[in-house]
Amino acid sequence: MATGTSNFPQQPIDTYSRLAHLLHSPAPDREALLDRLYEELLTRESRAYAAGWTDALTEARRSRS
């Protein structure tokens, strides 16, 4: 079952590339870097959660017809 999370244009090709970019970009300090990584993980988790609900609703609609 596809979640559709790759349909977001702002999402990079893969997680590794995005995390590598975050780790190699300049950050003022360790706390700022951790904040960036945490924000990225929350964003991805939210997208996956929303995609899962979309898939579940689509399946429920199919089963009713």
Side-chain angles (χ1 to χ4, degrees):
M1 175 172 22
T3 61
T5 55
S6 61
N7 294 333
F8 289 98
Q10 69 272 27
Q11 185 172 346
I13 293 172
D14 62 11
T15 301
Y16 177 81
S17 296
R18 178 65 182 147
L19 291 177
H21 172 74
L22 287 172
L23 291 171
H24 289 96
S25 64
D29 57 22
R30 286 176 74 179
E31 189 173 336
L33 175 61
L34 290 174
D35 286 344
R36 286 183 191 174
L37 292 172
Y38 185 68
E39 183 179 326
E40 181 70 20
L41 291 173
L42 284 179
T43 299
R44 289 180 178 276
E45 183 181 37
S46 295
R47 288 180 185 159
Y49 183 78
W53 272 107
T54 300
D55 288 348
L57 290 173
T58 300
E59 288 299 317
R61 287 184 187 123
R62 283 185 190 149
S63 66
R64 278 194 238 154
S65 342

